[in-house]
Amino acid sequence: MNRSVRLCSFGLLLAALAVPALAQNPGEQVYRMKCAMCHGADGLATTPVAKMMSVPSFRSPVVMKMTEAEMIAITNNGKGKMPAFKGKLTDAQVEQVVAYIRKLQR
Ligand code: HEC
């Protein structure tokens, strides 16, 4: 194997490692930009805005029991004071942000 071939396959390996790491970020980005102001950066709804709007913590027993499909539906359609995000986020973004909320619950 000559040097340039070796360098090239090293580049491919780096790219293969970087892609999954990047793919975990979009949900977090959406969450920080669109959800954190009400739900809190940690999802525990301890901010003044969250208290004022009585946003439940994502770690509360009710929310822990919710399925991802239910969370996706609430994000798309809204619920009570929670705004609907249908049309503002793509289906993929909604799935990613709900996956990120699941991480916050651990
Ligand atoms: C303007 C404030 C606000 C923003 C912004 C907001 N939420 Fe909410 N969210 C609420 C409130 C209030 C509730 C409780 C609704 C109820 O039970 O009546 C809620 C409830 C939820 C629930 C149901 C579980 C629970 O805690 O009751 C999910 C899931 C959720 N929000 C996801 C999101 C996601 C994802 C985003 C960002 C894309 C987001 N929210 C942005 C205010 C907000």
Side-chain angles (χ1 to χ4, degrees), residues 6-89:
R6 230 181 296 146
L7 266 182
C8 178
S9 45
F10 182 64
L12 282 178
L13 179 70
L14 274 188
L17 290 174
V19 167
L22 283 178
Q24 290 179 346
N25 289 334
E28 183 174 350
Q29 272 169 18
V30 170
Y31 185 82
R32 293 219 177 125
M33 283 169 55
K34 310 265 181 194
C35 321
M37 70 283 237
C38 287
H39 287 273
D42 55 6
L44 303 186
T46 51
T47 60
V49 175
K51 294 216 170 107
M52 210 172 69
M53 296 185 79
S54 38
V55 179
S57 163
F58 285 138
R59 291 228 188 112
S60 69
V62 181
V63 186
M64 293 295 284
K65 267 189 254 151
M66 274 184 191
T67 63
E68 280 179 34
E70 284 171 311
M71 289 185 169
I72 287 170
I74 290 171
T75 307
N76 278 326
N77 306 323
K79 182 186 172 198
K81 294 193 200 112
M82 156 93 189
F85 283 91
K86 206 184 196 92
K88 293 182 196 150
L89 295 174

